[in-house]
Amino acid sequence: MFEIVKMQLNHIKEAAALEKLCFSMPWSESMLLGELENPLSYYVAAVGGDGRLVGYAGMLSVLDEGYIANIAVFPEYRRMGVADALLNFLIEYGETQNLSFLTLEVRKSNASAISLYRKHGFSVEGIRKKYYEQPPEDAYIMTLFLKKEM
């Protein structure tokens, strides 16, 4: 079991370790701390019953636009609904902040992440050529529109 809480300072070290497991160009502890201190950022943590970090997700809000930066889950907790719950929290936050849309980049080869985003209503809106460097790969730009046009 896990619960979703607002990310705190005590989660930074574990989040940085998770970054190293998940991403070829991981964020450092200082980068993550900077996000926590940024008033435009919103980060949540999935915490297990033992108090340890299971996963985390974060986004940046600029005007009425939401940019999802990271969603990461420790391998032993994948396929247990953690990423799904984290993404739900970001979407709900975007709705409460009256954002027009949420958007993100995802590796074209990351089928499981693409499937998760599609499940939540995100669609491919474009491609960023050579967005990722290690290894080189294009990214899909996926977007969820929150405000319905009148």
Side-chain angles (χ1 to χ4, degrees):
M1 291 301 297
F2 62 90
E3 68 173 322
I4 308 295
V5 299
K6 192 162 183 350
M7 195 166 169
Q8 302 292 324
L9 287 175
N10 63 312
H11 300 128
I12 295 290
K13 187 176 281 302
E14 288 177 300
L18 178 55
E19 281 279 320
K20 290 178 186 173
L21 283 176
C22 295
F23 304 114
S24 62
M25 298 181 72
W27 289 14
S28 66
E29 287 183 35
S30 64
M31 292 169 76
L32 290 163
L33 180 60
E35 290 301 305
L36 279 191
E37 294 172 346
N38 183 345
L40 301 177
S41 292
Y42 177 72
Y43 277 71
V44 290
V47 180
D50 60 359
R52 296 189 60 159
L53 187 75
V54 170
Y56 85 95
M59 63 180 279
L60 181 69
S61 299
V62 179
L63 301 173
D64 69 338
E65 303 171 357
Y67 297 91
I68 296 176
N70 294 346
I71 298 178
V73 177
F74 278 103
E76 61 269 30
Y77 295 99
R78 292 183 185 155
R79 303 215 173 275
M80 296 181 174
V82 178
D84 195 58
L86 288 165
L87 184 54
N88 269 332
F89 262 73
L90 295 183
I91 293 169
E92 288 172 10
Y93 177 78
E95 290 171 341
T96 64
Q97 298 302 302
N98 207 27
L99 299 181
S100 294
F101 63 84
L102 300 179
T103 192
L104 55 87
E105 289 87 11
V106 60
R107 282 185 184 273
K108 287 177 74 173
S109 64
N110 193 342
S112 60
I114 292 166
S115 176
L116 171 71
Y117 302 137
R118 285 191 189 281
K119 174 183 168 186
H120 286 272
F122 285 76
S123 58
V124 174
E125 297 296 326
I127 295 175
R128 291 203 198 282
K129 294 286 187 189
K130 300 178 184 174
Y131 182 76
Y132 294 101
E133 296 176 8
Q134 298 175 359
E137 186 173 354
D138 295 345
Y140 285 130
I141 302 166
M142 297 189 75
T143 303
L144 171 65
F145 294 95
L146 299 174
K147 289 183 181 175
K148 306 298 180 223
E149 297 298 323
M150 295 288 180

